[in-house]
Amino acid sequence: MRQHDVIVIGGGLAGMRAAQQAQAMGADVAMISKIFPTRSHSAAAQGGINAAVGVGDSWEDHAYDTVKGSDYLGDQDAIEVLCEEGPADIIALERMGVIFNRNGEGQIDMRAFGGATNVRTCYVADQTGQVILHVMWEQLLKSGLTVYSERFVTELLQEDGRISGCVALEIPTGRIEIFQTRAIVLATGGIGQVYYPTTNGLAVTGDGLALAYRAGASLMDMEMIQHHPTTLKANGVLITEGARGEGAYLLNSVGERFMENYAPNMKELASRDVVSRAETMEVRAGRAVDGDCVLLDLRHLGRDLVMTKLTQIFELARDYAGTNVLEEPLPIRPGHHYIMGGIKTDVDGRTWDPSGQGRWKGAEGLFAAGETANVSVHGGNRLGGNSLLDTVVFGRRSGAGAVEYARSVGWASVNENAAINGLESRIKDIFSRPSDGLRAATLRRQMGTAMNDGIAVFRNEEGMQKTLATIRAIKERLPEVSVHNKGRLFNTDLLSVLELDYMLDVAESVGMGAVTRKESRGAHAREDFPDRNDEDWLKHIVVARSEDGQAEVGFLPVTMTKWEPIARTY
Amino acid sequence: MSTKLDVYRFDPETDQDPSRKQYEVDLPEYGTVLEGLLEVRDAQDGTLSMRCSCRSAICGSCSMKINGQSRLACKTLISQIEHEGETITVDPMGNMPVIKDLVVDMDSFWDKMKTVGPYLKPEGPEPERENLVSNDSMMRLAVAMNCIMCGACVSDCTVLEVDKSFLGPAALAKAFRFAADPRDGHTEERLKSYVEPSGIWDCTRCNMCVQACPKDVEPMERIMDMRVMAIESGLTDSRGARHVEGFSNSVKHSGLLDEFALARKTFGFPKWGFELAPFGIRRLLRRRLPPIIHKGISTAKRVTRIFERLGV
Ligand SMILES: Cc1cc2nc3c(=O)[nH]c(=O)nc-3n(C[C@H](O)[C@H](O)[C@H](O)COP(=O)(O)OP(=O)(O)OC[C@H]3O[C@@H](n4cnc5c(N)ncnc54)[C@H](O)[C@@H]3O)c2cc1C
Ligand code: FES
C-alpha cells in the first residue's frame, strides 16, 4: 500500500495547481491521473483565461459580469474570491513561463470575450489551455512531484465517513493499487462524454462526480449544462469564442447578423446561453444552413489575424469541415460543452460542511476543484475564460485546504485486502459475462443521444422526463454489458464499462436537477416555464445519496453579497 | 465510406509474436483514422488497445504509424490518404517498445525531456508584475510550444534508430523553447549542455522529424536555431561547431572545401588520425580520397570578399 499525506486525483489544470500548492507547503503529495497529465482535456481550451489584470479594469467589474452571466445563481462570496485573487494567479503563471500574447508595452495582451463589459481575456493564440497545462507540468517536473500516471481511480475509501484512501487500476499492467491518505483533492474534470455529441475529449467521463457522490458528497446545479454556440457538425469539435472575440460574425441562411435582434448591445459577444438560444431560434424559424447550423464568418478578419491568433481554428475548420475560413463562412451549431454544476464545495474546496451543522451532505477529507467541483462561481451560465481561472484559483485553494486539513488529522485506516478484493470481484464479474453480450459503447451512445435530445439548449417537462426514463432504463441494463478483452494489459474495453457505470450516475443527477427546476435560468431554458422566477427558484438544487442509497433532491440558498438580481439583458 | 484497416496486434502476455488483423469500417465524410479505430474497438473488436483523448490534435495521445509514417490518428482524414492505397496500415510508433497493440512505452521519451531542464529558470529579482517582453520574442517560442509531445518525431528519427542515446527532436525542440526564452537566466549553461555528445550536433538533418510533426514545430529547424545560438555565444569547442567553423573557413579562404583540414579541425589532433584512419583507407581503396595538398580555386579572393560582405 502506498501512503501520501495528500493525494490529488486528476492531472489537468486544477489537479496540477492543487498538487503544486500542496507540495509548496511542504506536504508529501502525489498526483494520480488516468491519462498522462498533459493529455488532460485542459489542453483543449483555446480562447483564454479571464482576470482583471488590464489597466482600467477592476476585479469588481469582473465579479459583476460573472454574477450576471451566472443569472444570479452563482454564490457571490465565491465569485469575489475568484475575481479578486485571479490577477495574482495570472501573474504567477506568466512568471512560471506561460508565454501569453503581449501588447506594445510587453504586458500581457487581452482579447474580448462573451458576457464581459471589459476586454479581459488573457490568451496564447488559440491554444491557451495547452500552453498553461504544459507550463504547469514543467513546474511539477522541476519540483519533482510524485505522479502516478495511467492509473484509473475506481473507488474512494473511507473510515466512518472520513476519507482514508483510494483504489486504482494501473492501466498498462492491470495491477490494482491501494493508496492511503489523509486528504484527497478530486480534480477529475467535466462530464462531456455523458452527452453525444460534445466538445469534450474521450476521457472526460465524469468519474470524479460519481466517486464523490458514492462517497456521500452532494452534486449541485447539475441541470446547468452549457451548450457552446460554435461547434462543428461533423464531430462536435469546438471553435473558440475567441473567434467572435476577435470580431467574427454569426450569420443566418439569408446572410443576416441575427444577434443584432437578440442582444442589440453585445451581439455575438452576449453570454453563451443567450447566443446558443438565438441560433436555435434561427434554425427553428427556417433560417438554417446544413439542416441545423448557422454560419460563423471570419472572412473580414483578414489572413494576418487568423493565421497568427486563430491558427488552430483555421486548421480544425479545414480538417474537419473542409472549410477555408479565410474564404467562406463556417457552418456551426450549439453543442454540449461544459457543466457549471458539480461536487458542492466551499471556497477552500471542502466537500463537507466545516461548520458541523450539516447544511449539506459531504465526505470529510474530500476536496474538489476544477470542472468537477461546484464552488458556485458559474451558477446558471459560465462566462468563457472563467473556467481556466476557476481551475487555477480554486485548484490552488483546495491544495492549500487539503494540506491544512491533513495536518490536523491522523491516518484513517484502510483495509487493503478488502479494497483489492472489491475491485477484483467487480472485474471478475464483468469478465464472467459472455463476450458477445451488450457493448458499453452501444449504451453510451444511447445515453448521450438521450441527454442531447432532452436536456440541451431548450427543455420541457416531457422531453426531460423521457430522457430521465431512458437513463434509468439504461442503468438497469448495465449488468448485461460485457467485454471482448479479458486480458490485463491496457484493457480499455474494461475501462469503458467502468466509465459507463459512473457516467450513468452523473446523467441521472443531471436529469433529476433538470426536472426539479421549474423556471428558466441561465442554461436551463424551459419552454414550459419561460421566465426566471426568483421568488421560488433563486436557490441551488443538490442531489445526494440518501441513507438507503437512493438519489435524493435537496436545496441550498444562494449566497448574495452586493448584487441584487435584476433582469438580464445583453 | 467503407474503409479497410490493417492493424498491428500484439499482446505480450498471450502472443509469441506480433500479428496483423484486418477490419472494415464505415465512416462519414471527414472520418479520421482514429474514428475508424474507435469504431473497431467499440463495435467489432474490443481487444484492440490504443491511446486517445482529445480527438482534435491537441493532447498528443494518438500518434502512431499510418501507412508507415508517424501521424496523429485523429488528424489524419481517411480521404487525405486514400490515394496511398486501398488498405490503410496502422502500426505502433517506432523507437519505443510496444506495451500492447498500438500503445508504446514512452518512458525514454519523458526521461529525455527531463534531461534538458524543461522549465523556466529565472535569475535575479522577481518583477513586480509580469515580465515585460516583446510579443515577437514570445511568438518565436510559440512555434516550439506548439509541441504536444506526441512522439511522432521521435518515432521517425533516423539517428535514434542507430543511437539510442541521442536526445532526439522532441526534447531538443523543448530545449530550444527555454534556451530562447528572454525570461530565462541560464541560457549559456543550457547551450553548454546541449552541445555535449547526444545533443544538437548529433542531428544528421535528415528532415524526417519535420515531415512527421503534426504541429509544424519543425524540430530540426529548432535544433539548427540552437546550433547558431551556440556558435554565436562562443561555444565553438564541440565537434559540430568546429566542423561548421572549419567548413566555413576553408571555403572563405580557398573557395573550396579542404576535407583533410576539416577532419583535423573537427576531431582535433591527434585523434583525427586514429579515428578516421579506417575510413580514410576505405576511401583510398575506392580511389575517393581527397587531394592531400589542398589547392584553392583561382577566384578564391572573390569568395573571401563575399564572406566579408556578409560579415562572417
Ligand atoms: C474544447 C474546449 C475549449 C475550452 N476553452 C476554454 C477557454 O478558452 N477558457 C476557459 O476558461 N475554459 C475553456 N474550456 C473549459 C476548460 O478547459 C475546462 O473546464 C478545464 O480545463 C477543466 O480542467 P480540469 O483540471 O478540471 O479537468 P481536466 O483538464 O479535464 O482534467 C481531468 C483530469 O482528471 C483525470 N481523471 C479523470 N477521471 C479519473 C479517474 N477515474 N482516475 C484518475 N484520474 C482521472 C484525467 O486523467 C485528467 O488528468 C474549454 C473546454 C473545452 C472542452
Ligand atoms: S486524440 Fe489527442 S492528439 Fe489525437
PDB file of all heavy atoms in Angstrom, chain A residues 261-291:
ATOM      1  N   ASN A 261     -30.688  41.172 -33.338  1.00  0.00           N
ATOM      2  CA  ASN A 261     -32.088  41.116 -32.890  1.00  0.00           C
ATOM      3  C   ASN A 261     -32.233  40.557 -31.476  1.00  0.00           C
ATOM      4  O   ASN A 261     -33.221  40.796 -30.810  1.00  0.00           O
ATOM      5  CB  ASN A 261     -32.913  40.232 -33.834  1.00  0.00           C
ATOM      6  CG  ASN A 261     -32.751  40.670 -35.271  1.00  0.00           C
ATOM      7  OD1 ASN A 261     -32.545  41.860 -35.532  1.00  0.00           O
ATOM      8  ND2 ASN A 261     -32.811  39.729 -36.207  1.00  0.00           N
ATOM      9  N   TYR A 262     -31.269  39.793 -31.031  1.00  0.00           N
ATOM     10  CA  TYR A 262     -31.402  39.129 -29.734  1.00  0.00           C
ATOM     11  C   TYR A 262     -30.631  39.850 -28.626  1.00  0.00           C
ATOM     12  O   TYR A 262     -31.028  39.808 -27.468  1.00  0.00           O
ATOM     13  CB  TYR A 262     -30.887  37.688 -29.812  1.00  0.00           C
ATOM     14  CG  TYR A 262     -31.657  36.816 -30.780  1.00  0.00           C
ATOM     15  CD1 TYR A 262     -31.278  36.734 -32.124  1.00  0.00           C
ATOM     16  CD2 TYR A 262     -32.753  36.076 -30.349  1.00  0.00           C
ATOM     17  CE1 TYR A 262     -31.974  35.936 -33.013  1.00  0.00           C
ATOM     18  CE2 TYR A 262     -33.455  35.276 -31.238  1.00  0.00           C
ATOM     19  CZ  TYR A 262     -33.056  35.207 -32.575  1.00  0.00           C
ATOM     20  OH  TYR A 262     -33.741  34.416 -33.444  1.00  0.00           O
ATOM     21  N   ALA A 263     -29.500  40.445 -28.987  1.00  0.00           N
ATOM     22  CA  ALA A 263     -28.656  41.121 -27.993  1.00  0.00           C
ATOM     23  C   ALA A 263     -28.066  42.361 -28.652  1.00  0.00           C
ATOM     24  O   ALA A 263     -26.920  42.368 -29.081  1.00  0.00           O
ATOM     25  CB  ALA A 263     -27.545  40.186 -27.522  1.00  0.00           C
ATOM     26  N   PRO A 264     -28.898  43.423 -28.752  1.00  0.00           N
ATOM     27  CA  PRO A 264     -28.504  44.590 -29.549  1.00  0.00           C
ATOM     28  C   PRO A 264     -27.177  45.217 -29.110  1.00  0.00           C
ATOM     29  O   PRO A 264     -26.467  45.770 -29.948  1.00  0.00           O
ATOM     30  CB  PRO A 264     -29.652  45.578 -29.341  1.00  0.00           C
ATOM     31  CG  PRO A 264     -30.700  44.881 -28.560  1.00  0.00           C
ATOM     32  CD  PRO A 264     -30.202  43.552 -28.126  1.00  0.00           C
ATOM     33  N   ASN A 265     -26.835  45.131 -27.848  1.00  0.00           N
ATOM     34  CA  ASN A 265     -25.578  45.751 -27.411  1.00  0.00           C
ATOM     35  C   ASN A 265     -24.378  44.844 -27.632  1.00  0.00           C
ATOM     36  O   ASN A 265     -23.404  45.220 -28.275  1.00  0.00           O
ATOM     37  CB  ASN A 265     -25.648  46.125 -25.932  1.00  0.00           C
ATOM     38  CG  ASN A 265     -26.712  47.171 -25.690  1.00  0.00           C
ATOM     39  OD1 ASN A 265     -26.841  48.113 -26.480  1.00  0.00           O
ATOM     40  ND2 ASN A 265     -27.493  46.997 -24.645  1.00  0.00           N
ATOM     41  N   MET A 266     -24.447  43.650 -27.071  1.00  0.00           N
ATOM     42  CA  MET A 266     -23.279  42.770 -27.106  1.00  0.00           C
ATOM     43  C   MET A 266     -23.225  41.909 -28.370  1.00  0.00           C
ATOM     44  O   MET A 266     -22.198  41.311 -28.669  1.00  0.00           O
ATOM     45  CB  MET A 266     -23.265  41.853 -25.881  1.00  0.00           C
ATOM     46  CG  MET A 266     -23.371  42.578 -24.559  1.00  0.00           C
ATOM     47  SD  MET A 266     -21.792  43.183 -23.986  1.00  0.00           S
ATOM     48  CE  MET A 266     -21.172  41.771 -23.115  1.00  0.00           C
ATOM     49  N   LYS A 267     -24.330  41.779 -29.054  1.00  0.00           N
ATOM     50  CA  LYS A 267     -24.419  40.966 -30.275  1.00  0.00           C
ATOM     51  C   LYS A 267     -23.770  39.594 -30.117  1.00  0.00           C
ATOM     52  O   LYS A 267     -24.116  38.841 -29.227  1.00  0.00           O
ATOM     53  CB  LYS A 267     -23.810  41.723 -31.458  1.00  0.00           C
ATOM     54  CG  LYS A 267     -24.453  43.079 -31.709  1.00  0.00           C
ATOM     55  CD  LYS A 267     -23.967  43.667 -33.005  1.00  0.00           C
ATOM     56  CE  LYS A 267     -24.456  45.084 -33.190  1.00  0.00           C
ATOM     57  NZ  LYS A 267     -23.862  46.082 -32.285  1.00  0.00           N
ATOM     58  N   GLU A 268     -22.769  39.265 -30.962  1.00  0.00           N
ATOM     59  CA  GLU A 268     -22.146  37.934 -30.917  1.00  0.00           C
ATOM     60  C   GLU A 268     -21.483  37.645 -29.574  1.00  0.00           C
ATOM     61  O   GLU A 268     -21.185  36.505 -29.256  1.00  0.00           O
ATOM     62  CB  GLU A 268     -21.085  37.787 -32.016  1.00  0.00           C
ATOM     63  CG  GLU A 268     -21.629  37.500 -33.404  1.00  0.00           C
ATOM     64  CD  GLU A 268     -22.023  38.762 -34.154  1.00  0.00           C
ATOM     65  OE1 GLU A 268     -21.942  39.866 -33.567  1.00  0.00           O
ATOM     66  OE2 GLU A 268     -22.433  38.636 -35.325  1.00  0.00           O
ATOM     67  N   LEU A 269     -21.208  38.715 -28.814  1.00  0.00           N
ATOM     68  CA  LEU A 269     -20.492  38.508 -27.559  1.00  0.00           C
ATOM     69  C   LEU A 269     -21.406  38.544 -26.337  1.00  0.00           C
ATOM     70  O   LEU A 269     -20.967  38.805 -25.211  1.00  0.00           O
ATOM     71  CB  LEU A 269     -19.354  39.515 -27.418  1.00  0.00           C
ATOM     72  CG  LEU A 269     -18.169  39.211 -28.349  1.00  0.00           C
ATOM     73  CD1 LEU A 269     -17.107  40.289 -28.231  1.00  0.00           C
ATOM     74  CD2 LEU A 269     -17.577  37.847 -28.060  1.00  0.00           C
ATOM     75  N   ALA A 270     -22.680  38.255 -26.547  1.00  0.00           N
ATOM     76  CA  ALA A 270     -23.558  38.050 -25.394  1.00  0.00           C
ATOM     77  C   ALA A 270     -23.138  36.747 -24.711  1.00  0.00           C
ATOM     78  O   ALA A 270     -22.298  36.012 -25.219  1.00  0.00           O
ATOM     79  CB  ALA A 270     -25.002  37.972 -25.860  1.00  0.00           C
ATOM     80  N   SER A 271     -23.742  36.453 -23.560  1.00  0.00           N
ATOM     81  CA  SER A 271     -23.414  35.203 -22.862  1.00  0.00           C
ATOM     82  C   SER A 271     -23.731  33.992 -23.738  1.00  0.00           C
ATOM     83  O   SER A 271     -24.577  34.055 -24.621  1.00  0.00           O
ATOM     84  CB  SER A 271     -24.246  35.111 -21.582  1.00  0.00           C
ATOM     85  OG  SER A 271     -23.516  35.620 -20.508  1.00  0.00           O
ATOM     86  N   ARG A 272     -23.053  32.893 -23.444  1.00  0.00           N
ATOM     87  CA  ARG A 272     -23.194  31.707 -24.297  1.00  0.00           C
ATOM     88  C   ARG A 272     -24.607  31.161 -24.353  1.00  0.00           C
ATOM     89  O   ARG A 272     -25.073  30.725 -25.407  1.00  0.00           O
ATOM     90  CB  ARG A 272     -22.257  30.617 -23.795  1.00  0.00           C
ATOM     91  CG  ARG A 272     -20.834  30.957 -24.109  1.00  0.00           C
ATOM     92  CD  ARG A 272     -19.893  29.877 -23.657  1.00  0.00           C
ATOM     93  NE  ARG A 272     -18.545  30.292 -24.020  1.00  0.00           N
ATOM     94  CZ  ARG A 272     -17.455  29.665 -23.629  1.00  0.00           C
ATOM     95  NH1 ARG A 272     -17.547  28.592 -22.859  1.00  0.00           N
ATOM     96  NH2 ARG A 272     -16.272  30.089 -24.005  1.00  0.00           N
ATOM     97  N   ASP A 273     -25.299  31.155 -23.204  1.00  0.00           N
ATOM     98  CA  ASP A 273     -26.668  30.622 -23.214  1.00  0.00           C
ATOM     99  C   ASP A 273     -27.523  31.442 -24.164  1.00  0.00           C
ATOM    100  O   ASP A 273     -28.328  30.898 -24.929  1.00  0.00           O
ATOM    101  CB  ASP A 273     -27.251  30.591 -21.784  1.00  0.00           C
ATOM    102  CG  ASP A 273     -27.212  31.950 -21.083  1.00  0.00           C
ATOM    103  OD1 ASP A 273     -26.349  32.793 -21.432  1.00  0.00           O
ATOM    104  OD2 ASP A 273     -28.041  32.175 -20.178  1.00  0.00           O
ATOM    105  N   VAL A 274     -27.325  32.771 -24.152  1.00  0.00           N
ATOM    106  CA  VAL A 274     -28.121  33.664 -24.990  1.00  0.00           C
ATOM    107  C   VAL A 274     -27.846  33.396 -26.475  1.00  0.00           C
ATOM    108  O   VAL A 274     -28.763  33.272 -27.288  1.00  0.00           O
ATOM    109  CB  VAL A 274     -27.793  35.138 -24.638  1.00  0.00           C
ATOM    110  CG1 VAL A 274     -28.531  36.099 -25.549  1.00  0.00           C
ATOM    111  CG2 VAL A 274     -28.111  35.415 -23.168  1.00  0.00           C
ATOM    112  N   VAL A 275     -26.569  33.252 -26.821  1.00  0.00           N
ATOM    113  CA  VAL A 275     -26.211  33.049 -28.230  1.00  0.00           C
ATOM    114  C   VAL A 275     -26.689  31.675 -28.716  1.00  0.00           C
ATOM    115  O   VAL A 275     -27.244  31.548 -29.809  1.00  0.00           O
ATOM    116  CB  VAL A 275     -24.685  33.212 -28.436  1.00  0.00           C
ATOM    117  CG1 VAL A 275     -24.330  33.029 -29.907  1.00  0.00           C
ATOM    118  CG2 VAL A 275     -24.216  34.572 -27.947  1.00  0.00           C
ATOM    119  N   SER A 276     -26.521  30.651 -27.886  1.00  0.00           N
ATOM    120  CA  SER A 276     -26.961  29.314 -28.296  1.00  0.00           C
ATOM    121  C   SER A 276     -28.477  29.284 -28.522  1.00  0.00           C
ATOM    122  O   SER A 276     -28.961  28.638 -29.454  1.00  0.00           O
ATOM    123  CB  SER A 276     -26.581  28.265 -27.241  1.00  0.00           C
ATOM    124  OG  SER A 276     -25.205  28.011 -27.311  1.00  0.00           O
ATOM    125  N   ARG A 277     -29.213  29.970 -27.658  1.00  0.00           N
ATOM    126  CA  ARG A 277     -30.676  30.016 -27.853  1.00  0.00           C
ATOM    127  C   ARG A 277     -31.025  30.755 -29.137  1.00  0.00           C
ATOM    128  O   ARG A 277     -31.876  30.313 -29.899  1.00  0.00           O
ATOM    129  CB  ARG A 277     -31.348  30.702 -26.656  1.00  0.00           C
ATOM    130  CG  ARG A 277     -31.504  29.781 -25.465  1.00  0.00           C
ATOM    131  CD  ARG A 277     -32.484  30.345 -24.448  1.00  0.00           C
ATOM    132  NE  ARG A 277     -31.972  31.505 -23.729  1.00  0.00           N
ATOM    133  CZ  ARG A 277     -31.219  31.430 -22.623  1.00  0.00           C
ATOM    134  NH1 ARG A 277     -30.897  30.251 -22.128  1.00  0.00           N
ATOM    135  NH2 ARG A 277     -30.800  32.513 -22.016  1.00  0.00           N
ATOM    136  N   ALA A 278     -30.340  31.863 -29.386  1.00  0.00           N
ATOM    137  CA  ALA A 278     -30.628  32.638 -30.595  1.00  0.00           C
ATOM    138  C   ALA A 278     -30.399  31.776 -31.845  1.00  0.00           C
ATOM    139  O   ALA A 278     -31.219  31.769 -32.772  1.00  0.00           O
ATOM    140  CB  ALA A 278     -29.741  33.879 -30.636  1.00  0.00           C
ATOM    141  N   GLU A 279     -29.304  31.032 -31.842  1.00  0.00           N
ATOM    142  CA  GLU A 279     -29.027  30.174 -33.004  1.00  0.00           C
ATOM    143  C   GLU A 279     -30.140  29.151 -33.188  1.00  0.00           C
ATOM    144  O   GLU A 279     -30.614  28.917 -34.306  1.00  0.00           O
ATOM    145  CB  GLU A 279     -27.689  29.443 -32.798  1.00  0.00           C
ATOM    146  CG  GLU A 279     -26.489  30.365 -32.878  1.00  0.00           C
ATOM    147  CD  GLU A 279     -25.179  29.635 -32.580  1.00  0.00           C
ATOM    148  OE1 GLU A 279     -25.199  28.416 -32.315  1.00  0.00           O
ATOM    149  OE2 GLU A 279     -24.127  30.298 -32.604  1.00  0.00           O
ATOM    150  N   THR A 280     -30.567  28.564 -32.081  1.00  0.00           N
ATOM    151  CA  THR A 280     -31.613  27.547 -32.167  1.00  0.00           C
ATOM    152  C   THR A 280     -32.913  28.166 -32.684  1.00  0.00           C
ATOM    153  O   THR A 280     -33.632  27.557 -33.486  1.00  0.00           O
ATOM    154  CB  THR A 280     -31.826  26.903 -30.784  1.00  0.00           C
ATOM    155  OG1 THR A 280     -30.565  26.461 -30.307  1.00  0.00           O
ATOM    156  CG2 THR A 280     -32.777  25.724 -30.856  1.00  0.00           C
ATOM    157  N   MET A 281     -33.229  29.405 -32.250  1.00  0.00           N
ATOM    158  CA  MET A 281     -34.443  30.071 -32.729  1.00  0.00           C
ATOM    159  C   MET A 281     -34.341  30.332 -34.236  1.00  0.00           C
ATOM    160  O   MET A 281     -35.321  30.200 -34.955  1.00  0.00           O
ATOM    161  CB  MET A 281     -34.638  31.408 -32.018  1.00  0.00           C
ATOM    162  CG  MET A 281     -34.475  31.334 -30.530  1.00  0.00           C
ATOM    163  SD  MET A 281     -35.991  31.338 -29.615  1.00  0.00           S
ATOM    164  CE  MET A 281     -36.277  33.076 -29.472  1.00  0.00           C
ATOM    165  N   GLU A 282     -33.163  30.702 -34.706  1.00  0.00           N
ATOM    166  CA  GLU A 282     -32.980  30.931 -36.143  1.00  0.00           C
ATOM    167  C   GLU A 282     -33.234  29.646 -36.917  1.00  0.00           C
ATOM    168  O   GLU A 282     -33.881  29.641 -37.952  1.00  0.00           O
ATOM    169  CB  GLU A 282     -31.562  31.447 -36.437  1.00  0.00           C
ATOM    170  CG  GLU A 282     -31.312  32.876 -35.989  1.00  0.00           C
ATOM    171  CD  GLU A 282     -32.245  33.872 -36.652  1.00  0.00           C
ATOM    172  OE1 GLU A 282     -32.258  33.954 -37.896  1.00  0.00           O
ATOM    173  OE2 GLU A 282     -32.988  34.564 -35.918  1.00  0.00           O
ATOM    174  N   VAL A 283     -32.704  28.555 -36.389  1.00  0.00           N
ATOM    175  CA  VAL A 283     -32.900  27.262 -37.052  1.00  0.00           C
ATOM    176  C   VAL A 283     -34.389  26.932 -37.077  1.00  0.00           C
ATOM    177  O   VAL A 283     -34.958  26.540 -38.100  1.00  0.00           O
ATOM    178  CB  VAL A 283     -32.093  26.164 -36.334  1.00  0.00           C
ATOM    179  CG1 VAL A 283     -32.489  24.791 -36.847  1.00  0.00           C
ATOM    180  CG2 VAL A 283     -30.599  26.408 -36.502  1.00  0.00           C
ATOM    181  N   ARG A 284     -35.056  27.152 -35.923  1.00  0.00           N
ATOM    182  CA  ARG A 284     -36.488  26.843 -35.843  1.00  0.00           C
ATOM    183  C   ARG A 284     -37.303  27.729 -36.774  1.00  0.00           C
ATOM    184  O   ARG A 284     -38.354  27.334 -37.255  1.00  0.00           O
ATOM    185  CB  ARG A 284     -36.982  27.005 -34.411  1.00  0.00           C
ATOM    186  CG  ARG A 284     -36.471  25.888 -33.520  1.00  0.00           C
ATOM    187  CD  ARG A 284     -37.026  25.993 -32.112  1.00  0.00           C
ATOM    188  NE  ARG A 284     -36.548  24.868 -31.300  1.00  0.00           N
ATOM    189  CZ  ARG A 284     -36.835  24.717 -30.022  1.00  0.00           C
ATOM    190  NH1 ARG A 284     -37.592  25.594 -29.401  1.00  0.00           N
ATOM    191  NH2 ARG A 284     -36.363  23.675 -29.368  1.00  0.00           N
ATOM    192  N   ALA A 285     -36.807  28.948 -37.022  1.00  0.00           N
ATOM    193  CA  ALA A 285     -37.531  29.870 -37.905  1.00  0.00           C
ATOM    194  C   ALA A 285     -37.231  29.585 -39.373  1.00  0.00           C
ATOM    195  O   ALA A 285     -37.635  30.347 -40.252  1.00  0.00           O
ATOM    196  CB  ALA A 285     -37.159  31.306 -37.553  1.00  0.00           C
ATOM    197  N   GLY A 286     -36.479  28.528 -39.628  1.00  0.00           N
ATOM    198  CA  GLY A 286     -36.231  28.138 -41.014  1.00  0.00           C
ATOM    199  C   GLY A 286     -35.067  28.864 -41.661  1.00  0.00           C
ATOM    200  O   GLY A 286     -34.930  28.861 -42.879  1.00  0.00           O
ATOM    201  N   ARG A 287     -34.237  29.506 -40.870  1.00  0.00           N
ATOM    202  CA  ARG A 287     -33.102  30.218 -41.468  1.00  0.00           C
ATOM    203  C   ARG A 287     -31.791  29.490 -41.179  1.00  0.00           C
ATOM    204  O   ARG A 287     -30.787  30.080 -40.786  1.00  0.00           O
ATOM    205  CB  ARG A 287     -33.058  31.653 -40.945  1.00  0.00           C
ATOM    206  CG  ARG A 287     -34.252  32.498 -41.412  1.00  0.00           C
ATOM    207  CD  ARG A 287     -34.132  33.954 -41.020  1.00  0.00           C
ATOM    208  NE  ARG A 287     -34.347  34.163 -39.591  1.00  0.00           N
ATOM    209  CZ  ARG A 287     -35.540  34.385 -39.033  1.00  0.00           C
ATOM    210  NH1 ARG A 287     -36.638  34.423 -39.775  1.00  0.00           N
ATOM    211  NH2 ARG A 287     -35.645  34.569 -37.729  1.00  0.00           N
ATOM    212  N   ALA A 288     -31.820  28.169 -41.348  1.00  0.00           N
ATOM    213  CA  ALA A 288     -30.647  27.344 -41.039  1.00  0.00           C
ATOM    214  C   ALA A 288     -29.835  27.037 -42.286  1.00  0.00           C
ATOM    215  O   ALA A 288     -30.308  27.175 -43.406  1.00  0.00           O
ATOM    216  CB  ALA A 288     -31.092  26.048 -40.394  1.00  0.00           C
ATOM    217  N   VAL A 289     -28.628  26.600 -42.062  1.00  0.00           N
ATOM    218  CA  VAL A 289     -27.745  26.119 -43.118  1.00  0.00           C
ATOM    219  C   VAL A 289     -27.431  24.664 -42.771  1.00  0.00           C
ATOM    220  O   VAL A 289     -27.332  24.348 -41.582  1.00  0.00           O
ATOM    221  CB  VAL A 289     -26.423  26.934 -43.096  1.00  0.00           C
ATOM    222  CG1 VAL A 289     -25.495  26.497 -44.210  1.00  0.00           C
ATOM    223  CG2 VAL A 289     -26.706  28.422 -43.170  1.00  0.00           C
ATOM    224  N   ASP A 290     -27.284  23.810 -43.743  1.00  0.00           N
ATOM    225  CA  ASP A 290     -26.932  22.411 -43.455  1.00  0.00           C
ATOM    226  C   ASP A 290     -27.870  21.753 -42.443  1.00  0.00           C
ATOM    227  O   ASP A 290     -27.432  20.992 -41.576  1.00  0.00           O
ATOM    228  CB  ASP A 290     -25.517  22.323 -42.844  1.00  0.00           C
ATOM    229  CG  ASP A 290     -24.442  22.355 -43.904  1.00  0.00           C
ATOM    230  OD1 ASP A 290     -24.817  22.512 -45.081  1.00  0.00           O
ATOM    231  OD2 ASP A 290     -23.255  22.242 -43.558  1.00  0.00           O
ATOM    232  N   GLY A 291     -29.153  22.074 -42.494  1.00  0.00           N
ATOM    233  CA  GLY A 291     -30.104  21.422 -41.590  1.00  0.00           C
ATOM    234  C   GLY A 291     -30.246  22.120 -40.252  1.00  0.00           C
ATOM    235  O   GLY A 291     -31.296  22.660 -39.926  1.00  0.00           O
TER     236      GLY A 291
END
